[in-house]
Amino acid sequence: MKTGKFFRSIAAVVVAAAMLAGCAKKEEVPLGGESSSVVSSASSTSTVSSTSSATSSSSAAIRTHSSYKLIVPPNADGTGGSTSVTPHSDPVQSTPGASQSTPQSSSAVQSTVQSSSTAANSSSSSTPTLKPPVSSNGSAVDRHGWLSVMGTDLVDQSGSKMQLYGMSTHGIAWFPDYINYDTFRFLRDDWGANCIRLAMYSGENSGYCTGGDKQWLKGLVNNGVEYATELGMYVIIDWHVLGDRTPMTYKEEAKKFFDEMSSRYADYPNVIYEICNEPNGGTSWSEIAAYANEVIPIIRANSPDSIVIVGTPTWSQEVDKPAANPLQFDNVMYALHFYADTHRDGLRNTMVNAIRSGAPIFITEFGMCDASGNGAVNESEANKWKSLIDEHNISYMCWNLANKGESSSIIRSGCSKLSGWTDDDLSTQGRIIRSWRRNADY
Ligand code: IDC
């Protein structure tokens, strides 16, 4: 039996079993996450329109799924879908990854989510079929199966070089509407994406360890994985360390989370674990390595062959550190993040040198603007990165899948469509990214 078919059968059994378990337990989980106290404690000036949950209401249903809530797309006739998804306000922007002198852009904190169901459904298919239009070559996961790391390369099940490409969500707590089957399908079919990254902040406002509703957040991750799986796409579960600076801050929570995720997705060849987004604030490689040495064995015990990505010091820029002192596990890659208008030749040189020293690099986040996630889009610097990325077979995920009023959001602020975007619906970065891989064949 082909790996893909085998995997789909397993996945179906796992899902069915989990749903039965959920029914048997009759466990009810409160919806919508945090109380108004969390929302009102937000320091951001973000505006969240009250219509955002309406969009989701029309396109998905929550069922109790073991201890998670599973959001289920509606039937083909449009019946059966509902949910209650209450996005939280994201926090005031810090300036991750910038040199000390990079100023913070005040406009980065402006956000308007306007996910009105009418607009969202008018141009995107409102009734996902759950029968993805897989090309005659099969989906990416059908064709490439379990991935592994060989030397500095990501390779597929037959040992051929593999490059993953796609979008990272924004914080799933703040922009949950984009965890959506149609959204992922459009990215796959129109943009040529073969991977989605699910960014779950661990330490910010409404982060997993800082007041977020854990069951709701895990439900979103769960949905994201299931949609990607249905679509034959790879999916990265990102423990988005940022405001918490060192992954040691919430190490115990991380261990529990990854134990749960890797046991749930043990048989999914498409699930990749990113265990700490961007250590910062002086966190050393040895501290990150100590964390990784505790978390990776937990993942390995459940899912021995999955790819694990580890963040690196200084907002995932110091890939020279693991190049000099690698972790002692197979199938591990190191994260490098760049924002093209801030990070130029210096970081590109660091990356190439690290690869030459044997470090497998995965760019799990990049933008074309500055490191604040805002500011001018620098296409020529972005193109330099793109050449290097292709030259070295590096996988790359673009930040971010949202319509926030910041340059790194790929959807224009004010556009509420969840899929079916034309160039007019996209930000400058969105238009460029869309053009990069549209006709690529995976
Ligand atoms: C930014 C978002 C912004 C949000 C902020 C929260 O774009 O809307 O308010 O986080 O602190 C990173 C981080 C990523 C940042 C992004 C842009 O991993 O979370 O997102 N960035 O600043 N590293 C470098 C840049």
Side-chain angles (χ1 to χ4, degrees), residues 2-258:
K2 276 182 64 186
T3 312
K5 285 190 183 151
F6 172 70
F7 149 66
R8 278 166 190 266
S9 313
I10 293 277
V13 170
V14 170
V15 169
M19 291 182 94
L20 280 174
C23 291
K25 282 188 188 164
K26 284 198 175 20
E27 194 171 357
E28 288 304 327
V29 184
L31 305 180
E34 290 308 294
S35 62
S36 55
S37 64
V38 170
V39 176
S40 63
S41 70
S43 51
S44 151
T45 57
S46 300
T47 315
V48 177
S49 121
S50 58
T51 54
S52 59
S53 57
T55 301
S56 307
S57 302
S58 64
S59 62
I62 289 184
R63 288 185 200 154
T64 306
H65 183 297
S66 185
S67 59
Y68 304 141
K69 290 182 287 294
L70 180 65
I71 302 176
V72 181
N75 303 323
D77 63 359
T79 62
S82 74
T83 188
S84 166
V85 177
T86 308
H88 301 281
S89 306
D90 62 338
V92 173
Q93 170 75 314
S94 58
T95 307
S99 61
Q100 308 300 4
S101 58
T102 301
Q104 177 179 327
S105 171
S106 58
S107 59
V109 298
Q110 297 292 337
S111 169
T112 306
V113 179
Q114 298 169 321
S115 314
S116 87
S117 54
T118 336
N121 291 334
S122 59
S123 62
S124 66
S125 161
S126 58
T127 53
T129 61
L130 284 182
K131 282 182 189 153
V134 172
S135 77
S136 54
N137 288 331
S139 72
V141 179
D142 273 340
R143 292 161 65 191
H144 301 287
W146 284 96
L147 307 179
S148 57
V149 177
M150 196 179 286
T152 58
D153 282 305
L154 188 62
V155 299
D156 72 4
Q157 62 193 357
S158 60
S160 303
K161 286 186 184 183
M162 182 72 194
Q163 201 178 19
L164 296 180
Y165 155 69
M167 288 304 307
S168 173
T169 66
H170 199 291
I172 58 172
W174 309 320
F175 293 92
D177 288 353
Y178 297 99
I179 310 282
N180 179 294
Y181 178 87
D182 271 351
T183 305
F184 294 3
R185 183 169 62 180
F186 191 76
L187 290 172
R188 184 192 70 168
D189 295 344
D190 188 63
W191 294 39
N194 59 5
C195 188
I196 295 286
R197 177 189 194 228
L198 305 170
M200 189 184 74
Y201 281 77
S202 45
E204 263 69 1
N205 174 46
S206 305
Y208 188 82
C209 305
T210 46
D213 179 332
K214 290 186 170 59
Q215 298 307 321
W216 180 68
L217 290 167
K218 282 189 286 195
L220 288 171
V221 171
N222 183 38
N223 288 338
V225 170
E226 296 298 349
Y227 297 153
T229 301
E230 278 290 335
L231 291 160
M233 300 172 83
Y234 292 86
V235 57
I236 300 171
I237 300 178
D238 163 39
W239 182 260
H240 202 85
V241 169
L242 187 64
D244 33 348
R245 291 168 185 270
T246 162
M248 287 302 193
T249 310
Y250 298 116
K251 181 184 73 175
E252 294 308 320
E253 295 280 18
K255 284 161 69 176
K256 271 189 240 155
F257 175 77
F258 283 110

Side-chain angles (χ1 to χ4, degrees), residues 90-98 108-109 170 174-175 197 201 204 240-243 277-278 315 317 337-339 343 365 370-374 399-400 404 406 408-409:
D90 62 338
V92 173
Q93 170 75 314
S94 58
T95 307
V109 298
H170 199 291
W174 309 320
F175 293 92
R197 177 189 194 228
Y201 281 77
E204 263 69 1
H240 202 85
V241 169
L242 187 64
N277 167 52
E278 288 186 357
W315 296 284
Q317 292 170 46
H337 292 175
F338 72 84
Y339 283 77
H343 308 117
E365 201 183 289
D370 69 37
S372 72
N374 214 344
W399 182 265
N400 66 68
K404 185 169 175 176
E406 60 179 9
S408 57
S409 272

